[in-house]
């Protein structure tokens, strides 16, 4: 039956650029769909490098680092490392394999961190979640930049250009989205974007951008070589292009006992809501942020153990059973989510493209969509900026995932 389902999905989606990865976790399918919306790929991926081996890496060959630059990425080391032995970033040119070599000593384990590295021609600086960590490599010579024979590598230390990797120097880590800009951002410019989970593909200072695979989304043609152990649906990637929230076919239960789709909902309709702590209510709809629309978007379909399914964009917030709000793209098969019937294990995550994005705002923190408790807000449309810091802190305390228990 599973093979038949895979075949059916393929038949439906083969007109789009499809890359799928089968995971042996309940024999479920993780399906990664890539398609363009304007200049932007709507669905991103993250890559896992298991460390202590040489076969996994992110490599951009023949890549000239700008004379001044900023590198932006998101990484999650899975182990704390000290002692300058594991190197997550390196840049080499002929005659100098240590132009840039950055270890993992500054990072926390098992939590995503937003990373910037800047070089203004004299000084380099590492920022983690907007906080400066100081210079992280020495020497940093101007002779290393604008060299078309250079190689940028993440996940390995280069002893030769684009190779010479050593297993003992490879960190165990997740990587998501890499962007190189031809400007050295100031501390205030880094702080202004700290915590975001996407890049602007239209930024004219982009030298290279990779968030969905090896293709360079900056348009400059620097194709990457990516050898990852596993690939995962991601909430990070491109900020522009495509809407965010729920799909218009998502259903909400009304106080009358009937139900309505998002696309049919009106102001004043009294819908089922939740406090995220096990209590449910019925509250009137106060705001409908989206007019009736057919805006294209990337959606994740979340399927629970009882067969409940809900479609939401990867950047949409949803509470796990540990009461921490994460984006749908941060969920993993096996995580525990809240439903009208209690806690349920997430059994399947699939990705697709659909038209029409909707949400509904009430006086309560969460709404119930297709039987699943979710936030009415997405990451780019959340008017509660103080919660971003609280979510980040809570995730650091609780770890990266939550199973039903």
């Amino acid at each position: 039956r599973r093979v038949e389902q895979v075949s059916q999905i393929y038949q439906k989606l083969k007109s789009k650029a499809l890359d799928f990865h089968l995971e042996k976790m309940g024999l479920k399918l993780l399906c990664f769909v890539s398609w363009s919306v304007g200049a932007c790929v709507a669905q991103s991926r993250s890559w896992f490098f298991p460390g202590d081996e040489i076969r996994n890496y992110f490599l951009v060959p023949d890549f000239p680092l700008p004379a001044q630059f900023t590198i932006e990425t998101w990484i999650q080391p899975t182990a704390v490392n000290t002692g300058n032995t594991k190197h997550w970033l390196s840049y080499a040119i002929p005659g100098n394999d240590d132009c840039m070599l950055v270890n993992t000593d500054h990072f926390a384990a098992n939590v995503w961190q937003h990373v910037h590295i800047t070089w203004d021609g004299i000084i380099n600086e590492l920022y983690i979640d907007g906080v400066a960590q100081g210079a992280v490599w020495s020497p940093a010579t101007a002779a290393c930049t604008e060299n078309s024979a250079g190689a940028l590598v993440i996940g390995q230390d280069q002893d030769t250009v684009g190779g010479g990797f050593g297993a003992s120097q490879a960190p165990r880590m997740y990587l998501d989205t890499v962007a190189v800009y031809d400007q050295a951002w100031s501390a205030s410019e880094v702080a202004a974007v700290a915590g975001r989970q996407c890049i602007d593909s239209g930024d004219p200072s982009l030298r290279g951008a990779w968030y969905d695979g090896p293709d360079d989304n900056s348009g400059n043609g620097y194709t990457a070589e990516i050898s990852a152990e596993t690939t995962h649906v991601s909430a990070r990637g491109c900020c522009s292009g495509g809407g965010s929230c729920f799909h218009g076919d998502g259903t909400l239960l009304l106080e009358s006992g009937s139900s309505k789709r998002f696309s049919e909902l009106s102001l004043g309709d009294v819908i089922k809501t939740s406090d995220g702590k096990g209590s449910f209510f019925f509250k009137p709809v106060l705001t409908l942020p989206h007019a009736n629309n057919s805006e294209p978007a990337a959606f994740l379909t979340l399927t629970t153990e009882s067969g409940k399914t809900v479609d939401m964009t990867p950047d949409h917030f949803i509470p796990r059973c540990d009461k921490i709000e994460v984006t749908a793209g941060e969920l993993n098969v096996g995580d525990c989510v809240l439903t009208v019937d209690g806690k349920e294990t997430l059994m399947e995550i699939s990705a697709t493209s659909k038209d029409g994005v909707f949400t509904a705002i009430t006086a309560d923190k969460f709404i119930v969509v297709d039987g699943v408790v979710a936030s009415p807000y997405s990451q780019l449309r959340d008017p509660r900026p103080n919660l971003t810091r609280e979510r980040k802190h809570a995730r650091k305390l609780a770890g990266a995932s939550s199973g039903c228990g």
Side-chain angles (χ1 to χ4, degrees):
R1 185 166 178 265
R2 228 9 117 183
V3 173
E4 292 175 356
Q5 289 176 336
V6 172
S7 177
Q8 289 170 3
I9 292 172
Y10 175 74
Q11 292 301 320
K12 290 179 181 179
L13 299 176
K14 66 181 180 180
S15 61
K16 303 182 183 295
L18 176 66
D19 177 24
F20 58 88
H21 174 68
L22 284 173
E23 296 253 338
K24 283 187 176 180
M25 186 175 289
L27 296 178
K28 299 298 178 180
L29 173 70
L30 291 181
C31 185
F32 306 98
V33 182
S34 169
W35 67 98
S36 294
V37 182
C40 181
V41 174
Q43 180 61 55
S44 181
R45 312 177 202 186
S46 64
W47 305 288
F48 174 59
F49 305 147
D52 294 318
E53 47 71 43
I54 64 172
R55 70 180 184 274
N56 296 125
Y57 50 82
F58 172 96
L59 164 66
V60 188
D62 303 322
F63 182 72
L65 271 180
Q68 297 186 14
F69 63 80
T70 298
I71 297 174
E72 181 177 23
T73 188
W74 289 258
I75 71 170
Q76 180 186 172
T78 61
V80 175
N81 178 71
T82 57
N84 195 29
T85 60
K86 303 289 186 182
H87 299 95
W88 70 274
L89 176 66
S90 64
Y91 185 75
I93 64 172
N96 189 346
D97 58 37
D98 287 332
C99 282
M100 180 168 56
L101 187 61
V102 185
N103 63 51
T104 57
D105 287 6
H106 296 83
F107 295 94
N110 298 316
V111 62
W112 281 104
Q113 287 141 98
H114 189 195
V115 181
H116 293 85
I117 286 184
T118 64
W119 165 250
D120 64 5
I122 301 174
I123 298 171
N124 69 81
E125 187 85 46
L126 168 69
Y127 297 86
I128 300 177
D129 294 329
V131 179
Q133 309 294 318
V136 286
W137 77 85
S138 180
T141 62
C144 288
T145 60
E146 299 298 356
N147 190 312
S148 60
L152 178 69
V153 172
I154 297 179
Q156 300 285 349
D157 174 9
Q158 303 173 76
D159 287 338
T160 60
V161 178
F165 304 147
S168 64
Q169 296 172 310
R172 182 180 176 89
M173 60 178 281
Y174 289 88
L175 170 69
D176 192 338
T177 302
V178 180
V180 180
Y181 305 85
D182 63 12
Q183 297 176 357
W185 293 358
S186 66
S188 60
E189 288 173 320
V190 172
V193 299
R196 72 177 181 177
Q197 297 201 22
C198 53
I199 64 170
D200 180 2
S201 67
D203 190 322
S205 69
L206 275 173
R207 174 68 62 94
W210 306 267
Y211 41 77
D212 187 56
D215 292 340
D216 177 8
N217 294 282
S218 74
N220 291 322
Y222 295 110
T223 302
E225 299 173 14
I226 305 172
S227 176
E229 191 76 6
T230 55
T231 306
H232 306 269
V233 172
S234 166
R236 299 164 191 82
C238 180
C239 293
S240 59
S244 60
C245 282
F246 300 97
H247 186 251
D249 287 340
T251 58
L252 303 104
L253 183 64
L254 304 183
E255 189 174 29
S256 64
S258 61
S259 62
K260 274 190 176 182
R261 297 185 301 172
F262 267 113
S263 58
E264 304 168 333
L265 207 60
S266 301
L267 289 175
D269 282 342
V270 182
I271 64 173
K272 193 160 193 172
T273 63
S274 174
D275 60 1
K277 300 177 182 179
S279 296
F280 294 91
F281 315 93
F282 285 95
K283 296 291 179 67
V285 173
L286 303 177
T287 306
L288 291 171
H290 302 274
N292 203 2
N293 68 91
S294 57
E295 187 175 359
F299 287 93
L300 297 181
T301 301
L302 311 179
T303 303
T304 72
E305 61 185 278
S306 69
K308 295 180 180 66
T309 62
V310 59
D311 291 330
M312 62 181 71
T313 53
D315 67 338
H316 202 91
F317 287 116
I318 179 171
R320 298 185 312 209
C321 294
D322 57 9
K323 300 181 177 61
I324 295 175
E325 287 184 63
V326 298
T327 61
E330 292 176 302
L331 289 171
N332 297 301
V333 170
D335 279 352
C336 181
V337 295
L338 303 171
T339 77
V340 289
D341 298 316
K343 299 178 179 180
E344 293 192 27
T345 299
L346 190 60
M347 301 300 291
E348 187 173 353
I349 304 173
S350 60
T352 189
S353 63
K354 294 184 178 182
D355 295 336
V357 290
F358 297 84
T359 193
I361 311 299
T362 72
D364 282 345
K365 187 174 183 180
F366 301 111
I367 59 177
V368 180
V369 183
D370 294 316
V372 178
V373 177
S375 170
Y377 299 111
S378 67
Q379 196 161 43
L380 298 180
R381 288 179 166 83
D382 193 342
R384 308 164 295 170
N386 61 306
L387 291 184
T388 300
R389 184 176 299 172
E390 293 174 10
R391 289 189 189 101
K392 187 181 295 181
H393 178 65
R395 285 200 294 267
K396 286 184 178 180
L397 293 178
S401 63
S402 171
C404 288

